[in-house]
C-alpha cells in the first residue's frame, strides 16, 4: 500500500472510532440525566403549577391503584393508548411527589 492510502485508512478508522466513542459517551451520560420536553402548543403533557405545588406539599404517603387489563386482546387500541397516557401521568405525579405517592399497577 502506498503511504497516502495508509494515511486515509488510518484517518477513516480514527473518525469511526471517535464517532463510536462519542455515541457511547452520550448514551452513558443520558442514563444519568432525566429530561422531558412538552413541545405541544397547549402544554398537554405538562403538569399545571397548582398540581405541582400540591404534589410537592403532600404530607402523607398516598397509593394510586391503577387497574387496566392490557393483556386482553378485545380491548380497543384507543383504550390501550389512553391507559398508557394515564399510567404515564400517574408516574409523573409520583416523580413530582418526592416518593410520597406510590403507584400499584394491576393487570
Amino acid at each position: 500500500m502506498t503511504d497516502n492510502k495508509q494515511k486515509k485508512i488510518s484517518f477513516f478508522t480514527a473518525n469511526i472510532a471517535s464517532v463510536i466513542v462519542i455515541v457511547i459517551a452520550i448514551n452513558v451520560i443520558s442514563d444519568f440525566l432525566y429530561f422531558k420536553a412538552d413541545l405541544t402548543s397547549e402544554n398537554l403533557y405538562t403538569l399545571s403549577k397548582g398540581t405541582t405545588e400540591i404534589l410537592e406539599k403532600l404530607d402523607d404517603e398516598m397509593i394510586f391503584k391503577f387497574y387496566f387489563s392490557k393483556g386482553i386482546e378485545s380491548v380497543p387500541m384507543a383504550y390501550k393508548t389512553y391507559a398508557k397516557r394515564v399510567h404515564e401521568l400517574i408516574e409523573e405525579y409520583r416523580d413530582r411527589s418526592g416518593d410520597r405517592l406510590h403507584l400499584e399497577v394491576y393487570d
Side-chain angles (χ1 to χ4, degrees):
M1 254 196 238
T2 65
D3 193 37
N4 194 21
K5 282 186 178 180
Q6 235 175 359
K7 285 182 182 179
K8 285 183 181 180
I9 291 173
S10 282
F11 183 71
F12 180 74
T13 305
N15 282 340
I16 294 295
S18 297
V19 168
I20 290 171
V21 167
I22 290 170
V23 168
I24 290 172
I26 289 171
N27 282 327
V28 169
I29 291 170
S30 68
D31 279 345
F32 295 105
L33 300 176
Y34 176 75
F35 178 74
K36 184 177 177 182
D38 182 0
L39 302 178
T40 61
S41 60
E42 297 86 15
N43 291 326
L44 294 175
Y45 302 102
T46 302
L47 296 180
S48 69
K49 184 178 178 183
T51 301
T52 303
E53 288 175 1
I54 289 170
L55 290 170
E56 290 173 350
K57 292 179 183 178
L58 285 177
D59 293 328
D60 298 325
E61 291 189 4
M62 296 178 65
I63 298 174
F64 266 74
K65 295 183 180 184
F66 181 65
Y67 295 89
F68 185 72
S69 299
K70 63 182 175 183
I72 298 176
E73 292 182 20
S74 63
V75 174
M77 185 53 85
Y79 289 160
K80 290 181 181 183
T81 303
Y82 185 71
K84 181 181 179 193
R85 187 170 172 196
V86 170
H87 185 239
E88 290 172 351
L89 178 65
I90 297 170
E91 286 179 332
E92 183 78 18
Y93 288 172
R94 181 193 63 205
D95 293 343
R96 292 289 179 106
S97 73
D99 287 334
R100 289 181 298 277
L101 191 143
H102 303 281
L103 174 61
E104 294 178 3
V105 179
Y106 298 95
D107 190 359

